[in-house]
Amino acid sequence: MRGKKDIESLQEQISKEINRRKNSKNFWCSISSGALKDINNRLERIKKILQISKYDILFIGQVGVGKTTAICHLFNLVYEHEEKKTIKSNDKVKSKTITSIKEILSTGSGKTTICEVIIKPASETYIEISPCSEEDMIELIREFCISIWQKVYPDYNSEYLLDLSSTELIRAIRNIVNLKESHKGNSRDQAEDLAKKFTQLDDFTNEVINCAKLSQRKETRINFIKGQNSTKENDIYTETIWIKDTFNEINLAKISTFSIPRKIVIYVSPNIIDFKLYPKFNSIIDTKGIDEVKNRKDLESYIRNKDQTICIFTESFKSAPSNVSELIARYLTSESEDIDTKFGLLILPQKGEPEKLLSSDGQVEDRDEGIAVRKSDIETKFRQQKIQFIPDNILFYDAKQFYLSDDIIDPNYETSDINLEKERLNNEINNLIERREKKLRAEVRKLKTIFLQIQNGNVLKSEDETLLLNLKKKIEEQNIIKYPSCNLTLRYIQSLKKHHVMVFRAINNRRGIYNLRDINIYFDCKNVAEDLVKVNLRKPKDEISGAIGLAKKEAIDKSILIPILEVIQNKVDTCYEEIVISLGNQISNKLKKEILKPQNESNPFWLEVKGRWGGGSGYRDDVLCMYENEMKGIDNFFRDEIQDLWQQQLRNNILSFFDEEDFE
């Protein structure tokens, strides 16, 4: 069962069997037809995934964990940097050229990359960006101006001191408006110097906005031209340095014709990365580091909506998996399908960490034992958190393992050692993909076996029929969600309180979507709603699963009932997950497209929220009250929808196995 044709042949056989049973009205034909339809639906999904020939390799991780450094070394996005150093030896001073290995993409202690970076193959090298909107740029500059104004004039709105914690954005804004900050000698801030020339914040802000020259920042693409500005005869070296310098300037917003990027796509020629060496890789994606916002709309899209994406979560050796486990747990549930096989966890030890690890028997003997002990610890933590993470998908890679502290290759190692380690990890990522495909092919074989069992089972034994009728009765009893918890508005308002008041003001000025800080209040509402759906539906769903499990235990060994019950359980899990996602989307859309629409200043709500600023203390509380008033009725809507979806999408959907005619 390896190819598309094999799956389609099986689907055709199943469809014929379903049609053959259409005219039969007995209990067995009804329940088996429902099971066969579900098997065919699942086969269609598997076929779609198995047709993927190349995957986008996505790296997700906390700010400062070493994600970008690992990507650069893993895919050879590095270059040799020569530097002359003065060395004293035996009272003699010598000049020596030192060759170190540096990363092409900006790396550091964190907050170096301003946005998501995608690396794609191309015949020629060039860089393209998706720019920030002019509206976002102006609002960012306003925030920057307020923070500067508060430093120069401490009495201005001292209750709402603005903390611009996004270091990479501050750097970019300063370059956009050409107002630098110097820490050499006597510290000096050109922005503060300019602010001192004004007596009104608005005048200062308008001047800084003019400095940005936003109307000139319309370009989105820049090409590498072979032979132009060549620094060496080696064209590959020149191309590499061009990527490094150009990426750095775009990332820092130093190019006068470019805006601050929301996404950077680096198209590389085979000189830089020969993607033929990575036949399963379509692109390499370095997501923006996870900071204050742990779950983001861009990450959800990659995880839930893009089957062609392999998600590699990156973590430090000491803390794994604590910084990413919450995000993993949100999507890798006991009900989710095809998520476990697309998740990998890449642990990034720093040199010497594995060797220093203490096990239950004391100090580990070597690096390999330290990694094995740490991997076992991580597996235990996942089990404790009831996260069904595939142990083989826990990987380790130290990009600087064979280097000294100054990025010089350790003389105890050869370049071949570095290449072998990169090759090992790339093979492990390929193995992850192969495990995904292998598991799906195994599922096809299992579904074929179930189909053949159903096809050859002409009638249910009386004891099996009794078990099914009892199961049906148990499911029918799960009709109403008792005492549904519907405090959606309260939970959502509480989630909005986490934002600094000045950031909250900026969110409101943007009518709920602050792209450069990865804040989307409609997506946040979806997350709150999903969590609340799980609170309400977990117990009745487990009641149904428990009844199915009991029926399986009581079924006669080798009974045709057992594979049928497995299909029904899979249906319960699928329906549950669909309700969670569906109701989350409904609530998000209702908030955006009904309650708070339109997202412009023709909406009295946004005018009132914006106008509240400058009206004295209590801004955040007052605005949150406005949100609460606007959202009246959403709790009742949520209560009705959760009840309706439970009945129609799960309970009645499962009951349709037993007697389709009752629920047409």
Side-chain angles (χ1 to χ4, degrees):
M1 303 304 299
R2 290 182 178 274
K4 177 184 174 184
K5 289 183 179 179
D6 293 325
I7 295 175
E8 288 176 343
S9 174
L10 178 56
Q11 287 179 295
E12 187 177 350
Q13 293 176 57
I14 293 172
S15 295
K16 287 179 180 178
E17 187 64 26
I18 293 170
N19 289 330
R20 189 177 70 81
R21 294 166 186 257
K22 269 186 178 179
N23 297 324
S24 299
K25 297 296 181 181
N26 64 67
F27 191 38
W28 166 244
C29 283
S30 175
I31 198 165
S32 60
S33 292
L36 291 173
K37 287 176 184 177
D38 264 53
I39 290 172
N40 246 0
N41 290 338
R42 178 59 184 156
L43 286 170
E44 187 64 29
R45 168 108 176 103
I46 291 173
K47 181 175 69 175
K48 179 183 175 185
I49 297 175
L50 287 176
Q51 284 180 294
I52 298 169
S53 60
K54 293 178 181 288
Y55 282 86
D56 298 314
I57 310 301
L58 180 88
F59 292 84
I60 303 169
Q62 193 178 36
V63 168
V65 77
K67 170 169 56 69
T68 304
T69 299
I71 291 170
C72 285
H73 284 266
L74 184 59
F75 296 102
N76 207 34
L77 293 170
V78 294
Y79 66 98
E80 291 185 350
H81 174 71
E82 294 183 352
E83 182 181 2
K84 286 189 176 181
K85 287 190 175 182
T86 302
I87 300 171
K88 289 184 179 180
S89 178
N90 298 326
D91 296 328
K92 292 183 179 180
V93 178
K94 293 182 179 180
S95 180
K96 186 177 180 181
T97 300
I98 302 295
T99 302
S100 57
I101 305 299
K102 300 293 184 182
E103 296 85 19
I104 291 178
L105 305 183
S106 305
T107 60
S109 58
K111 297 192 175 184
T112 52
T113 308
I114 200 167
C115 63
E116 177 181 289
V117 179
I118 303 175
I119 301 162
K120 289 185 173 184
S123 57
E124 296 181 348
T125 291
Y126 63 97
I127 300 178
E128 203 165 45
I129 72 163
S130 297
C132 291
S133 67
E134 189 166 318
E135 181 186 19
D136 277 346
M137 290 294 297
I138 290 171
E139 192 59 40
L140 272 174
I141 294 169
R142 286 189 192 281
E143 283 184 26
F144 172 73
C145 289
I146 291 170
S147 69
I148 296 297
W149 195 261
Q150 287 175 332
K151 290 179 183 178
V152 175
Y153 302 103
D155 293 335
Y156 173 80
N157 245 342
S158 57
E159 182 185 355
Y160 300 138
L161 288 174
L162 179 57
D163 176 23
L164 284 173
S165 57
S166 184
T167 309
E168 63 273 38
L169 279 178
I170 295 171
R171 285 195 300 260
I173 293 165
R174 284 187 175 277
N175 287 325
I176 286 280
V177 299
N178 197 27
L179 294 172
K180 307 297 174 56
E181 185 179 26
S182 174
H183 297 287
K184 294 179 181 178
N186 295 325
S187 295
R188 185 184 173 191
D189 188 333
Q190 293 178 350
E192 290 182 20
D193 291 345
L194 182 61
K196 290 172 184 177
K197 298 178 181 180
F198 294 87
T199 58
Q200 297 296 320
L201 172 60
D202 286 347
D203 294 337
F204 168 60
T205 301
N206 289 334
E207 177 63 22
V208 176
I209 290 172
N210 288 335
C211 291
K213 299 179 181 177
L214 296 178
S215 62
Q216 299 178 17
R217 299 181 178 275
K218 303 298 181 183
E219 289 188 19
T220 59
R221 173 170 168 164
I222 186 167
N223 299 312
F224 168 72
I225 301 174
K226 189 175 180 180
Q228 186 175 4
N229 299 321
S230 180
T231 55
K232 283 195 173 186
E233 292 182 2
N234 187 333
D235 286 332
I236 296 176
Y237 179 86
T238 303
E239 192 171 341
T240 302
I241 297 303
W242 180 88
I243 294 174
K244 177 188 79 72
D245 292 343
T246 307
F247 172 80
N248 189 55
E249 289 188 338
I250 290 173
N251 187 54
L252 295 174
K254 284 188 171 183
I255 300 179
S256 62
T257 53
F258 275 62
S259 181
I260 292 177
R262 286 184 58 196
K263 181 185 293 183
I264 301 173
V265 184
I266 305 174
Y267 292 88
V268 295
S269 75
N271 292 333
I272 305 302
I273 300 179
D274 186 358
F275 271 84
K276 290 179 181 177
L277 299 175
Y278 312 99
K280 281 284 189 181
F281 298 179
N282 180 61
S283 71
I284 302 152
I285 305 173
D286 184 8
T287 60
K288 187 177 178 182
I290 300 170
D291 199 356
E292 298 91 351
V293 183
K294 287 199 171 182
N295 186 31
R296 302 196 308 247
K297 191 172 182 180
D298 63 317
L299 300 181
E300 185 198 59
S301 179
Y302 281 120
I303 292 169
R304 276 186 177 161
N305 304 331
K306 298 181 179 179
D307 290 330
Q308 73 275 20
T309 302
I310 297 296
C311 302
I312 308 292
F313 295 86
T314 56
E315 259 279 34
S316 65
F317 186 80
K318 291 180 179 179
S319 62
S322 59
N323 291 317
V324 293
S325 59
E326 181 183 335
L327 184 59
I328 290 172
R330 170 168 285 279
Y331 297 105
L332 182 52
T333 65
S334 57
E335 294 83 17
S336 59
E337 277 186 327
D338 308 315
I339 296 293
D340 59 339
T341 55
K342 70 183 291 183
F343 275 8
L345 176 62
L346 178 59
I347 311 302
L348 303 172
Q350 294 182 4
K351 193 171 184 180
E353 282 185 327
E355 295 91 329
K356 295 174 185 176
L357 193 68
L358 287 175
S359 70
S360 57
D361 297 324
Q363 183 84 34
V364 298
E365 293 185 2
D366 54 28
R367 175 184 177 82
D368 289 344
E369 185 186 357
I371 287 174
V373 170
R374 192 72 192 92
K375 183 174 184 290
S376 178
D377 290 343
I378 293 166
E379 290 175 25
T380 300
K381 287 180 180 178
F382 277 140
R383 283 195 298 272
Q384 290 170 344
Q385 297 175 55
K386 297 181 179 179
I387 299 173
Q388 298 174 352
F389 204 93
I390 298 173
D392 286 343
N393 289 3
I394 301 172
L395 316 175
F396 290 79
Y397 178 61
D398 180 359
K400 299 293 185 77
Q401 180 183 350
F402 303 108
Y403 295 84
L404 301 176
S405 58
D406 51 3
D407 296 329
I408 298 170
I409 296 177
D410 189 326
N412 294 313
Y413 298 101
E414 302 290 338
T415 303
S416 59
D417 295 313
I418 298 171
N419 292 334
L420 281 171
E421 183 64 6
K422 289 190 288 188
E423 185 179 341
R424 176 195 63 79
L425 182 57
N426 277 310
N427 286 339
E428 288 193 0
I429 296 174
N430 275 305
N431 291 340
L432 186 155
I433 295 171
E434 287 175 8
R435 280 191 293 273
R436 176 174 172 83
E437 295 170 346
K438 185 177 179 181
K439 184 178 178 182
L440 290 170
R441 287 193 289 268
E443 187 178 351
V444 172
R445 291 192 294 271
K446 181 180 178 181
L447 292 173
K448 181 179 182 180
T449 300
I450 292 174
F451 161 63
L452 293 174
Q453 288 175 315
I454 293 172
Q455 187 183 43
N456 296 326
N458 294 320
V459 66
L460 280 175
K461 293 181 180 180
S462 59
E463 51 266 47
D464 285 344
E465 189 166 332
T466 300
L467 282 175
L468 281 175
L469 290 171
N470 289 337
L471 175 59
K472 180 183 179 184
K473 186 177 179 181
K474 290 276 188 183
I475 296 171
E476 286 173 334
E477 289 172 359
Q478 299 298 325
N479 185 34
I480 298 174
I481 308 300
K482 295 179 180 178
Y483 315 114
S485 174
C486 297
N487 53 347
L488 174 67
T489 303
L490 177 62
R491 290 182 179 221
Y492 179 55
I493 296 299
Q494 289 294 328
S495 75
L496 291 177
K497 282 186 176 181
K498 69 185 178 184
H499 298 298
H500 185 283
V501 67
M502 292 294 286
V503 173
F504 188 46
R505 176 197 179 229
I507 294 168
N508 291 319
N509 285 353
R510 292 168 171 79
R511 277 81 68 182
I513 300 176
Y514 192 169
N515 285 316
L516 284 174
R517 283 184 180 265
D518 303 302
I519 298 171
N520 183 321
I521 67 168
Y522 311 104
F523 178 73
D524 292 343
C525 192
K526 167 188 166 71
N527 290 331
V528 173
E530 283 191 7
D531 292 340
L532 202 49
V533 173
K534 293 174 184 178
V535 168
N536 282 281
L537 297 191
R538 173 56 62 188
K539 185 176 179 181
K541 184 261 181 184
D542 286 348
E543 290 280 347
I544 291 177
S545 295
I548 295 170
L550 183 61
K552 285 177 70 175
K553 284 183 181 179
E554 294 179 357
I556 299 170
D557 188 33
K558 296 184 180 179
S559 166
I560 183 59
L561 183 59
I562 292 176
I564 290 287
L565 291 172
E566 288 180 3
V567 175
I568 294 175
Q569 180 58 64
N570 289 338
K571 183 71 171 179
V572 170
D573 291 340
T574 301
C575 289
Y576 174 85
E577 187 77 357
E578 286 174 353
I579 290 173
V580 170
I581 297 171
S582 173
L583 193 44
N585 286 330
Q586 279 190 56
I587 293 296
S588 176
N589 289 334
K590 187 171 183 66
L591 184 66
K592 184 176 183 181
K593 297 180 180 180
E594 293 182 33
I595 295 173
L596 299 182
K597 83 162 192 179
Q599 278 74 47
N600 57 50
E601 294 193 1
S602 68
N603 184 340
F605 170 77
W606 294 115
L607 280 175
E608 185 180 8
V609 165
K610 189 173 182 179
R612 173 58 185 82
W613 182 257
S617 62
Y619 168 82
R620 179 163 49 194
D621 289 341
D622 287 351
V623 171
L624 288 174
C625 281
M626 295 177 196
Y627 272 90
E628 191 171 354
N629 290 334
E630 208 71 16
M631 292 176 69
K632 281 180 179 177
I634 200 170
D635 285 356
N636 289 334
F637 172 81
F638 180 83
R639 182 185 295 109
D640 293 342
E641 284 300 305
I642 199 170
Q643 184 65 63
D644 184 60
L645 285 171
W646 169 259
Q647 288 184 339
Q648 301 301 324
Q649 199 162 326
L650 196 148
R651 176 184 173 273
N652 292 357
N653 219 332
I654 303 306
L655 287 173
S656 67
F657 275 93
F658 300 90
D659 190 352
E660 292 177 313
E661 291 183 355
D662 288 348
F663 301 99
E664 286 182 348

